[in-house]
Amino acid sequence: MSKYEYQSRVRYSECGEDCCLSLGGVVNYFQDAATFQGEDLGIGIPYLRSRNLAWILVSWQIVTDHMPRLGENITVRTWAYSFTGFYGFRNLELVDENGVRAVWANSIWVMMDTERGRPVKVPEKLLSLYGEEEKLDMEYAPRRVNVPENGEEQEPFTIRRAHLDSNHHVNNKQYIQMALDYLPEDFPIRETRVEYREQAFLGDVIRPLAVRTRDSVTVSLQKEAGNVCAVVCFFRQEQSSRNQS
């Protein structure tokens, strides 16, 4: 079961104003695919929790060709392509009902000891069950996303319970959702890069910094002390090329 896939249908609750799947909806599908694979293999959240382990996402690189429309049938796939020490590397793709790849991604994860709060080597059982598939043919970006200089300060906000996930910190998708608020109205997204640096918890105050250019918007989401939680960079899509590279 090296590759995992499931089918779904684009729901109204997952769509943006254009009645197409939103970026947040895509991230949810991708996170669900990775989670479902672990659960179906018997090495999901309950298994990891019993051993004080958790997968923590380090970075996303999500490339968008086009977004499936409301009601469209879609297929979501994911597979691991490499493990190195305490890191796991995973590709994902979302295919529309015509069999065309609409969105694809690279993601980097780290295996954490939740009791000690430090990375640990990925257990052999997980390596064996996940296996390693061929790496997706795409242009891979560096893991690190630079914090913008001379960023424009945005209004601070406080982390609420709705932002949290089962690990009791802000969910990965929530940082992207926060950063989307700082996009201009007419900014179709071709690529999204996210680097996660420090966890945010209930009650933390986030002070965003945003840098906007014609072709990109970069948002640094940081705590009051200046510690950066996540850096999110969106790149403009000039037109839908239906490029399946």
Side-chain angles (χ1 to χ4, degrees), residues 34-47 130:
T35 302
F36 289 161
Q37 185 180 30
E39 295 299 317
D40 287 1
L41 289 170
I43 49 175
I45 292 174
Y47 177 88
Y130 279 126

Side-chain angles (χ1 to χ4, degrees), residues 70-240:
L70 171 64
E72 187 168 347
N73 294 306
I74 59 173
T75 300
V76 186
R77 299 191 184 102
T78 187
W79 60 94
Y81 66 83
S82 180
F83 294 94
T84 306
F86 42 75
Y87 285 107
F89 301 82
R90 176 178 290 276
N91 284 142
L92 309 100
E93 63 180 7
L94 189 152
V95 179
D96 68 20
E97 62 186 17
N98 296 313
V100 178
R101 183 184 296 145
V103 190
W104 55 98
N106 183 48
S107 59
I108 304 175
W109 306 72
V110 63
M111 177 60 67
M112 289 290 294
D113 181 322
T114 57
E115 243 187 358
R116 300 181 181 182
R118 67 185 187 188
V120 293
K121 187 176 180 181
V122 181
E124 288 295 330
K125 181 174 181 178
L126 275 65
L127 298 178
S128 174
L129 288 174
Y130 279 126
E132 293 183 12
E133 288 289 322
E134 185 176 350
K135 189 177 183 180
L136 189 65
D137 183 14
M138 62 181 284
E139 185 176 342
Y140 288 81
R143 174 182 66 83
R144 192 163 186 80
V145 181
N146 293 327
V147 177
E149 294 182 4
N150 302 318
E152 181 182 347
E153 291 190 15
Q154 309 297 315
E155 186 175 351
F157 58 88
T158 303
I159 297 301
R160 306 186 306 275
R161 291 192 183 277
H163 293 126
L164 308 182
D165 61 19
S166 62
N167 293 314
H168 310 297
H169 60 234
V170 173
N171 182 261
N172 307 312
K173 176 241 183 170
Q174 293 289 345
Y175 292 105
I176 298 175
Q177 205 66 47
M178 294 169 187
L180 283 169
D181 286 343
Y182 308 106
L183 286 184
E185 283 190 23
D186 183 21
F187 194 96
I189 301 169
R190 168 63 179 176
E191 186 169 336
T192 304
R193 300 179 190 169
V194 189
E195 181 191 1
Y196 300 98
R197 298 192 182 182
E198 183 174 312
Q199 297 172 9
F201 300 92
L202 182 66
D204 284 342
V205 175
I206 302 298
R207 295 186 175 276
L209 296 176
V211 173
R212 301 176 180 88
T213 70
R214 180 190 175 278
D215 297 319
S216 68
V217 175
T218 304
V219 181
S220 175
L221 298 162
Q222 55 193 51
K223 298 181 184 179
E224 286 187 295
N227 297 15
V228 176
C229 296
V231 187
V232 184
C233 187
F234 304 105
F235 295 90
R236 179 187 293 274
Q237 177 163 240
E238 294 298 338
Q239 59 183 3
S240 179

